[in-house]
Amino acid sequence: MSESVTLSSPTGAQYSQILSVGSYRPSNIVTNAEICTRIDSSDEWIRERSGITERRHASDSDTVVTMATAAANMAIARAGIDPSDIDMVLLATISHPYPTPSAAVEVSELIGARGAAAMDISAACAGFCYGVALANDMIRGGSAKYVVVVGVEKLTDIVNHTDRGTAFIFADGAGAAVIGPSDQPRIAPVVWGGDGSQLQAINMTASSVAFRDDPSLGYPTVTMAGQQVFRWAVTEMAKATKDALEAAGITAEQLDVFIPHQANNRITDALVRALALPESVVVARDIVTTGNTSAASIPLAMDRMLETGEAKSGDTALLIGFGAGLVYAAQVVKLP
Amino acid sequence: MSQEDVLVGFAAIINEVAGVPIDDVQLDKAFVDDLDVDSLSMVEVVMAAEDKWGVKISDDDAKNMRTVGDAVAFINANS
Ligand SMILES: CC(C)(COP(=O)(O)OP(=O)(O)OC[C@H]1O[C@@H](n2cnc3c(N)ncnc32)[C@H](O)[C@@H]1OP(=O)(O)O)[C@@H](O)C(=O)NCCC(=O)NCCS
């Protein structure tokens, strides 16, 4: 009997696209000189090793939720859709201080999208690209028409400001995109994966439970084996970028823009070399004045490039996010 | 493989990774102090050398390579 019961299965839009981006940069600019009052370092060392000259630190009134809301509101206004048309809010972060409820559902309320499905994504610096991939599949699968994808971090809450290996790198901000249906392929297949044998490469000094039971451990902060991450990024991420180009059916010569996660300019340099990118490809260097904002770095860089005219609407861009896990995701998209 | 062959190949790698002129890469030159090849560039140099000569260079081995000569000798002895 049950065999004769047929369930309906929706089909969605044939393709999807990024309709708009938006961003939020905290107003507080922190120079290398200021960082060097807390760690034994120098402006020159930080510039050489990372490319960073300054970064933004959130103020007390900037939270993961307020920053995400600001970026999402900008993206929604630019997309020209009504917030009530949003079916899903995907919010990528590792620095929301509440395990529950999610930041995404709070943001959905604040942007006027009550009723939308909402969830947070924990994929560290790969989070935005994970969100774009999920949104693409949801829209094409018929479970959503418009998806807001936010990458947001207040990393200054979980960084040890006296740790030489991380204090100068990590920073705060938010970027968002509205993703909706398209009449042409404008988001190519994602190439993604993870390597759980490298859990220790970037992790926390303790769990919150361990800290509760033994406060002498100190409040949990991010620790990073910088060279291990660097080694993985310049080898495995070089492969992933090549695979993403192949999955999109294009060559490096056909790219206009390369927006890797703004982890470290030295990683970007190595990826550009490994891909043998032609000179004509514009490479995101937002890290110089923004620092490494993990899940927010790619949409922040994208928004900056569109704003300054370095990149333009319709350009073909390769995105790759990678970080703690270790996990990564890469895809080629058409810029909004 | 002669020491000279390894040096030529190694100089090409350092030139590619760190933009150091090939002729500057001599056996007595120190990576950090003479050639400005810092610890992150060394990570890339080591990976490229592992690929090219099929050697395994551990982090400790890499740390002990202060000069170009140290690296060339290691590669010669282990490949
Ligand atoms: C963090 C990072 C810049 C450190 O560079 P590194 O070359 O690995 O640094 P090391 O710890 O090996 O130290 C190299 C030297 O610099 C010194 N150093 C380390 N941190 C320093 C700092 N903040 N300022 C000044 N000097 C520093 C060390 O003491 C050491 O000096 P020595 O050779 O005289 O002993 C680098 O590993 C990195 O960026 N990795 C990638 C991380 C990343 O992108 N993460 C984000 C992923 S989402």
Side-chain angles (χ1 to χ4, degrees):
Chain A
M1 184 61 196
S2 60
E3 280 299 313
S4 66
V5 177
T6 321
L7 303 181
S8 79
S9 175
T11 48
Q14 195 172 1
Y15 308 113
S16 81
Q17 62 181 322
I18 300 178
L19 293 166
S20 64
V21 280
S23 63
Y24 176 81
R25 294 170 194 273
S27 56
N28 180 21
I29 296 172
V30 177
T31 62
N32 288 343
E34 190 175 337
I35 296 289
C36 294
T37 62
R38 295 185 289 259
I39 58 171
D40 173 16
S41 189
S42 69
D43 177 48
E44 189 194 358
W45 192 94
I46 295 172
R47 284 175 199 249
E48 272 176 11
R49 298 303 167 111
S50 69
I52 300 170
T53 63
E54 61 186 40
R55 75 285 290 141
R56 304 291 180 110
H57 282 184
S59 66
D60 289 345
S61 61
D62 290 319
T63 68
V64 163
V65 167
T66 65
M67 294 191 288
T69 301
N73 277 335
M74 188 188 286
I76 293 163
R78 287 175 175 171
I81 62 165
D82 195 282
S84 62
D85 291 334
I86 295 161
D87 302 303
M88 170 60 97
V89 177
L90 293 174
L91 187 148
T93 192
I94 57 164
S95 47
H96 184 48
Y98 296 88
T100 200
S102 70
V105 74
E106 194 173 343
V107 169
S108 74
E109 181 68 16
L110 292 168
I111 61 178
R114 185 183 297 169
M119 65 175 169
D120 292 354
I121 301 171
S122 178
C125 311
F128 181 76
C129 291
Y130 269 62
V132 171
L134 292 170
N136 181 36
D137 288 350
M138 288 170 182
I139 291 165
R140 296 182 337 119
S143 48
K145 185 172 177 195
Y146 293 107
V147 180
V148 172
V149 177
V150 187
V152 53
E153 300 293 0
K154 189 172 178 182
L155 294 173
T156 49
D157 275 347
I158 56 168
V159 161
N160 173 350
H161 295 278
T162 61
D163 174 30
R164 278 175 115 199
T166 52
F168 67 95
I169 293 188
F170 293 119
D172 305 328
V178 175
I179 303 187
S182 171
D183 55 358
Q184 285 177 41
R186 289 192 175 94
I187 297 178
V190 68
V191 168
W192 54 2
D195 178 358
S197 74
Q198 301 201 61
L199 291 178
Q200 307 302 324
I202 308 174
N203 69 348
M204 303 299 289
T205 49
S207 73
S208 49
V209 174
F211 172 61
R212 177 198 66 195
D213 294 345
D214 179 4
S216 75
L217 290 172
Y219 186 78
T221 53
V222 174
T223 63
M224 178 169 74
Q227 289 204 4
Q228 183 183 344
V229 177
F230 185 81
R231 186 183 269 261
W232 174 76
V234 302
T235 49
E236 299 308 315
M237 294 310 94
K239 285 186 206 134
T241 50
K242 287 177 188 158
D243 290 348
L245 288 177
E246 198 176 308
I250 66 166
T251 64
E253 284 69 37
Q254 291 172 290
L255 268 185
D256 300 306
V257 184
F258 178 42
I259 314 181
H261 163 47
Q262 302 290 287
N264 181 325
N265 250 347
R266 297 285 293 272
I267 292 177
T268 301
D269 291 340
L271 292 178
V272 167
R273 229 180 296 126
L275 277 167
L277 283 187
E279 292 274 322
S280 58
V281 177
V282 186
V283 179
R285 300 285 182 181
D286 192 39
I287 189 170
V288 174
T289 54
T290 306
N292 176 336
T293 57
S294 189
S297 87
I298 291 174
L300 277 171
M302 191 187 290
D303 191 44
R304 169 71 44 93
M305 294 174 98
L306 288 166
E307 208 172 88
T308 59
E310 278 175 283
K312 53 186 194 312
S313 175
D315 276 355
T316 303
L318 170 60
L319 317 181
I320 181 162
F322 50 88
L326 299 170
V327 295
Y328 67 92
Q331 67 260 103
V332 176
V333 302
K334 293 283 186 182
L335 294 182
Chain B
M1 206 169 19
S2 76
Q3 175 166 299
E4 190 55 28
D5 287 343
V6 175
L7 178 60
V8 168
F10 200 70
I13 289 174
I14 292 187
N15 172 262
E16 161 81 11
V17 168
V20 177
I22 294 206
D23 290 345
D24 289 2
V25 184
Q26 300 298 334
L27 295 175
D28 60 341
K29 291 282 162 59
F31 292 111
V32 176
D33 296 334
D34 299 326
L35 302 178
D36 242 354
V37 173
D38 70 14
S39 49
L40 288 182
S41 292
M42 265 315 269
V43 173
E44 285 188 78
V45 167
V46 161
M47 287 190 301
E50 286 181 334
D51 262 7
K52 186 171 171 77
W53 288 286
V55 289
K56 178 81 198 91
I57 305 173
S58 72
D59 289 349
D60 283 342
D61 294 332
K63 284 210 176 73
N64 289 328
M65 294 175 183
R66 201 183 59 82
T67 65
V68 173
D70 295 340
V72 168
F74 183 93
I75 291 163
N76 253 330
N78 292 282
S79 64

